Amino acid sequence: MKPLIAVVNILLPILYVIAFIIYSYDFMKGGKKFSNSKRLFLFFAVIFHFFYLLIRTIEFNHPPITNVFEIFTVLAFAVSFSYFILELATDIRGTGPFIIVISILFQFISTIFIEDLVEVREVLRSNLLGSHVLTALLGYAGFTISAVYGILYLILFKEIKLNKFGLVFNRLPSLEILEKLSFYAAVIGFAALTIAMTIGTIWLPTAFPDFSLADPKLISSFVVWILYGIGIASKVFANWQGKKVITLSIIGFIIAIFSTMLTNFLAQSFHSFY
Amino acid sequence: MNLLAVSISHHTAPVELREAIYLNNDEIKAAIDGLKKSLFNEGLVLSTCNRTEIYGIPKDTNTSYLELQKFLISLKPVDGIASEHFNNYFSCGAVRHLFKVISGIDSLLIGDNQIYHQVKDSFQFAEDLQFTGFLMKRVFDSAIKTGKRAITETEISEGAVTVSYAAVQLIEKIFSNLSKKSALVIGTGETGEIAAKHLRDKGIGKLSLTNRTIQRAEKLAAALNAKIIPFDNFKNNLAEFDIVLSATSSPDFILSFNDINTAMKKRNFSPTILMDIAVPRDIDPKVKEIDYVFYHDIDSMNIIVEQNLAKRKMEIPKVEKIVMEELTAFFSWYNSLQIAPTIKNLREYFEQIRAEEVSKNINRFSDEDKEKLEIVTKRIINKILHTPTIELKKITESGINTEESAIKISIIRDLFRIDNSTDEGE
């Protein structure tokens, strides 16, 4: 199966690039020429990606979470998958290029550097750990999408304020819709991260003898979780809206990215697996 | 084709003359009665605020556009109108002009699809008055098809090209669902009225109006199911509105920075759109500095209008291509109604049947009979076609290709399923 995995690994970034080109063409032209076909193509790419993750898991006998570049391909999948679900749920099809480009980035790096590891630590073969990492990544994918829509919101907000009626004004959906998309993505991310943290809290202490609540990754995830929790609650209960919530989402995303990078590359703890 | 047309439009005459020559329905009826009596068998009279046009198939081939101009001027005498204010069209040019008019590329406001409905209504009116015959109905069908194709296959009618519609387009870029929003329109003059109607058409949740003279606002409020707020105290209610659209003729600002700032505080800085489409402006432009206030004046609207007009202009070549395609299709049909090709096609049709049947059965005959078979069957076909050929030739000799001949030829072509495309090269 290894040759097949190798071929699919090369095909994946190509598929995402093609999806990006189709979405970008529609965005630039403002037409609806590929309105359905672009969605179908993205669906095909996502299914193909899922198939790739599945055959990797079967062939190497562990979920694809054993090194940074395996994590990257899962992240690329999670971003595209979450966007696809969001597009289906809202039927807003014009913002694809801004999201798909993130998947391209992660998948491209993964395709180049990924290794076929067969020998890994026993704990990494656990399916519970697989679900923990997968849901955590889905959570971060949700936050990424939320931040992208947040940035688009701020750009459009500024353009309208300054009377600039260019491509951004003509092609992006309304401010209210961008705000909603950013919010829904954050909710999806928050829900996924909640599941990841629940699994982690229950399972980690039993799996790792050196488990510590003071673990930096645990603390940073908790901070991110609290931040998004406050953001969502303030919108739902305190009727916060517009730039305030958007800014909170972007700050949450920046903290999430920085803390993940710092804890992954610098700190040494039971939570580092590679 | 003997179609004749005259047109007075924004291309040829100033607005005063266009307004003066405008014909209402009663006047169009009188015009059609007069045209039927003196000039045309069938035709069309189109009159809008930007153009008045008459099309028709003359009774007499010698009828010229000058007589048609004279007819219109005598029907509606207007000071200062002269021959130079008319554009005149004949045959293919007249059909082409009508196709361009209905597709919106001849309009003052490029791509204005109101003209499509106006032309459609004019045809309906002509039909009700029995002024449309065989040819005009076909012209009408082709024109409608051209107009529909222009609207659906190109972006000639896309985007807002009026200030009040641009204001609504901008509002929709901020709020996604207007049914949950409330709007206040200050000033119910022409611009305010149109903007209020656009908001209602877009499904605004709550619509309120205020005006210095309450009577005018009342009339509009009743028509649009809107609430009226007295002009003296509308500022107290300002915080209720997500959208404030101002279009008064006040020489000074009627909403100051402080008015808006106070309202925003009351609204807890919930996003508010202020559309100032008055000249001179009604709202102090400094309000744009307040957070969550989207302030736009008429210059902003004009930027949108200019952009959309530029986009529409870029669509003109696409529409002209459609016009040309439909024109070719129309004249392909029309040319098939000519006598000579029809006789030729009819003879070819019969000859084909004869030849097929002869070739199928030729082996049943002896060698000496085969030649006779050819001669006899050809003679039968010639005899069958003799009378129809003579009758068709009589039409040619009688003069022009009249409506009657067109109908006869059309029936023959339909009955024998003689394809129009066979004549395209002729």
Side-chain angles (χ1 to χ4, degrees):
Chain A
M1 215 188 287
K2 274 186 186 167
L4 179 66
I5 290 173
V7 171
V8 178
N9 182 40
I10 293 167
L11 276 178
L12 274 176
I14 299 172
L15 284 179
Y16 281 123
V17 167
I18 295 172
F20 175 78
I21 291 169
I22 306 172
Y23 269 89
S24 301
Y25 178 86
D26 253 20
F27 182 81
M28 299 303 285
K29 293 276 172 188
K32 291 174 181 132
K33 206 172 165 186
F34 299 113
S35 193
N36 290 323
S37 50
K38 68 182 180 187
R39 177 184 279 187
L40 202 69
F41 193 85
L42 183 65
F43 176 70
F44 175 67
V46 169
I47 291 290
F48 204 65
H49 202 154
F50 180 75
F51 169 73
Y52 170 72
L53 298 177
L54 198 72
I55 54 175
R56 267 198 90 90
T57 309
I58 295 167
E59 176 65 21
F60 302 121
N61 198 24
H62 60 79
I65 51 165
T66 61
N67 60 64
V68 178
F69 305 113
E70 279 192 341
I71 295 282
F72 271 18
T73 185
V74 179
L75 205 57
F77 169 77
V79 168
S80 285
F81 176 73
S82 309
Y83 170 74
F84 183 73
I85 298 295
L86 205 62
E87 196 193 287
L88 272 187
T90 59
D91 204 31
I92 293 156
R93 308 175 188 210
T95 53
F98 304 98
I99 311 290
I100 296 170
V101 73
I102 297 166
S103 284
I104 292 176
L105 194 74
F106 282 124
Q107 187 52 48
F108 196 69
I109 298 170
S110 171
T111 293
I112 294 171
F113 297 108
I114 201 161
E115 289 166 25
D116 298 343
L117 292 177
V118 182
E119 293 305 317
V120 294
R121 282 169 59 185
E122 200 47 44
V123 71
L124 295 176
R125 295 197 189 279
S126 159
N127 284 334
L128 256 178
L129 180 71
S131 340
H132 168 69
V133 175
L134 218 68
T135 45
L137 289 178
L138 210 60
Y140 280 80
F143 297 152
T144 309
I145 294 173
S146 173
V148 171
Y149 282 126
I151 292 165
L152 291 178
Y153 174 95
L154 293 180
I155 294 171
L156 182 61
F157 187 95
K158 208 176 160 197
E159 296 259 302
I160 294 176
K161 270 272 200 183
L162 295 175
N163 279 344
K164 283 186 184 168
F165 306 117
L167 195 65
V168 169
F169 175 81
N170 285 316
R171 298 286 187 274
L172 284 184
S174 70
L175 282 177
E176 249 183 13
I177 285 178
L178 286 173
E179 191 185 336
K180 254 185 218 168
L181 288 171
S182 174
F183 180 69
Y184 290 156
V187 171
I188 293 171
F190 182 75
L193 191 63
T194 309
I195 296 169
M197 286 173 72
T198 312
I199 295 172
T201 318
I202 297 167
W203 173 76
L204 283 176
T206 62
F208 296 94
D210 54 344
F211 173 79
S212 160
L213 278 175
D215 169 59
K217 203 184 271 180
L218 219 125
I219 295 168
S220 70
S221 300
F222 190 69
V223 169
V224 170
W225 186 77
I226 288 284
L227 209 66
Y228 277 93
I230 291 170
I232 291 165
S234 66
K235 186 165 169 75
V236 175
F237 301 111
N239 205 19
W240 276 28
Q241 52 182 334
K243 274 195 301 183
K244 258 192 234 172
V245 184
I246 294 284
T247 311
L248 211 58
S249 162
I250 294 171
I251 292 172
F253 173 72
I254 292 167
I255 292 177
I257 291 296
F258 271 96
S259 67
T260 311
M261 280 167 67
L262 282 175
T263 51
N264 262 338
F265 293 113
L266 299 179
Q268 283 300 317
S269 78
F270 79 93
H271 222 147
S272 300
F273 306 125
Y274 35 82
Chain B
M1 188 188 194
N2 199 20
L3 182 68
L4 199 62
V6 293
S7 161
I8 294 179
S9 71
H10 56 279
H11 295 300
T12 58
V15 65
E16 309 82 57
L17 285 183
R18 299 198 306 267
E19 275 172 358
I21 202 87
Y22 169 78
L23 305 172
N24 62 31
N25 276 359
D26 290 337
E27 288 165 330
I28 291 176
K29 191 176 175 304
I32 289 176
D33 288 342
L35 286 167
K36 277 207 280 195
K37 267 182 213 152
S38 58
L39 293 172
F40 293 157
N41 289 318
E42 52 179 319
L44 168 80
V45 179
L46 168 72
S47 194
T48 73
C49 49
N50 274 325
R51 66 176 71 243
T52 295
E53 303 189 335
I54 299 178
Y55 298 78
I57 313 271
K59 291 179 178 179
D60 179 359
T61 42
N62 296 323
T63 305
S64 86
Y65 61 84
L66 287 170
E67 285 166 78
L68 197 50
Q69 288 180 6
K70 261 188 220 161
F71 172 84
L72 184 58
I73 294 169
S74 66
L75 183 85
K76 190 106 190 228
V78 173
D79 280 346
I81 203 149
S83 193
E84 73 221 39
H85 295 119
F86 286 86
N87 264 338
N88 313 296
Y89 303 96
F90 182 67
S91 186
C92 179
V95 181
R96 183 166 177 267
H97 176 68
L98 179 63
F99 286 7
K100 282 175 81 173
V101 168
I102 198 169
S103 56
I105 54 172
D106 196 64
S107 297
L108 182 61
L109 213 57
I110 298 286
D112 171 26
N113 58 18
Q114 216 184 340
I115 189 73
Y116 171 79
H117 301 287
Q118 287 163 333
V119 173
K120 220 173 157 183
D121 291 345
S122 301
F123 266 108
Q124 190 57 51
F125 200 64
E127 197 160 20
D128 292 346
L129 296 172
Q130 277 107 42
F131 194 41
T132 52
F134 178 72
L135 282 173
M136 279 314 284
K137 275 182 187 158
R138 185 73 185 216
V139 171
F140 171 61
D141 288 343
S142 299
I144 291 290
K145 194 176 166 203
T146 310
K148 262 190 196 159
R149 283 189 64 196
I151 293 167
T152 54
E153 292 177 24
T154 74
E155 291 178 12
I156 194 74
S157 300
E158 295 287 311
V161 287
T162 59
V163 166
S164 43
Y165 204 72
V168 177
Q169 195 191 346
L170 188 50
I171 289 167
E172 284 187 311
K173 215 63 200 181
I174 297 165
F175 296 140
S176 62
N177 189 354
L178 292 187
S179 67
K180 289 178 183 162
K181 305 293 173 195
S182 56
L184 170 69
V185 175
I186 309 168
T188 51
E190 197 185 340
T191 316
E193 185 179 332
I194 295 169
K197 279 180 184 164
H198 283 322
L199 283 169
R200 183 47 89 212
D201 289 345
K202 290 283 176 186
I204 189 82
K206 284 181 195 164
L207 181 63
S208 301
L209 308 173
T210 185
N211 198 44
R212 275 187 211 278
T213 46
I214 201 92
Q215 290 80 3
R216 197 184 160 96
E218 274 171 349
K219 208 173 153 192
L220 186 63
L224 296 178
N225 189 24
K227 192 179 148 192
I228 293 183
I229 298 179
F231 192 80
D232 296 335
N233 67 342
F234 81 88
K235 286 183 188 176
N236 300 333
N237 303 65
L238 219 48
E240 290 171 23
F241 300 103
D242 305 296
I243 300 157
V244 176
L245 200 145
S246 197
T248 76
S249 50
S250 164
D252 306 309
F253 292 145
I254 55 171
L255 284 172
S256 68
F257 181 88
N258 281 338
D259 293 332
I260 302 300
N261 207 21
T262 313
M264 286 306 284
K265 279 178 188 161
K266 272 195 210 167
R267 283 173 63 74
N268 199 16
F269 288 89
S270 184
T272 304
I273 305 172
L274 303 176
M275 288 286 172
D276 189 350
I277 48 178
V279 179
R281 291 183 289 191
D282 285 341
I283 306 170
D284 185 348
K286 258 204 282 177
V287 298
K288 69 173 84 160
E289 290 162 15
I290 304 170
D291 219 3
Y292 294 103
V293 166
F294 294 95
Y295 167 84
H296 295 281
D297 58 20
I298 198 146
D299 284 347
S300 315
M301 304 301 113
N302 281 334
I303 294 171
I304 295 176
V305 167
E306 291 296 325
Q307 277 182 358
N308 287 335
L309 273 176
K311 272 189 230 160
R312 286 187 179 195
K313 275 182 189 155
M314 282 168 70
E315 292 295 297
I316 291 176
K318 288 183 197 165
V319 177
E320 275 180 339
K321 191 169 168 266
I322 291 172
V323 167
M324 201 41 84
E325 283 168 8
E326 290 304 323
L327 201 62
T328 310
F330 176 79
F331 276 96
S332 162
W333 169 82
Y334 181 76
N335 289 336
S336 76
L337 300 182
Q338 303 299 314
I339 307 293
T342 305
I343 293 173
K344 185 171 163 265
N345 291 150
L346 197 61
R347 297 196 80 86
E348 282 168 356
Y349 175 76
F350 277 81
E351 172 54 27
Q352 196 188 346
I353 295 172
R354 188 203 65 80
E356 274 173 20
E357 289 305 313
V358 166
S359 72
K360 263 190 222 166
N361 298 293
I362 193 91
N363 292 332
R364 296 182 185 186
F365 296 87
S366 63
D367 283 347
E368 59 267 28
D369 287 341
K370 279 179 184 168
E371 200 179 330
K372 284 178 196 163
L373 179 70
E374 282 283 327
I375 295 165
V376 170
T377 50
K378 276 187 181 171
R379 196 177 289 159
I380 293 170
I381 297 298
N382 281 339
K383 289 221 164 177
I384 290 172
L385 289 177
H386 179 72
T387 314
T389 306
I390 296 293
E391 287 301 314
L392 283 172
K393 279 183 177 165
K394 268 188 201 165
I395 299 173
T396 320
E397 285 152 12
S398 71
I400 54 152
N401 187 5
T402 61
E403 185 188 346
E404 196 191 339
S405 79
I407 293 171
K408 278 183 183 169
I409 291 165
S410 177
I411 290 171
I412 289 171
R413 299 191 80 94
D414 283 348
L415 282 179
F416 293 104
R417 289 190 187 160
I418 301 172
D419 189 7
N420 291 342
S421 61
T422 55
D423 299 308
E424 264 179 43
E426 294 176 18

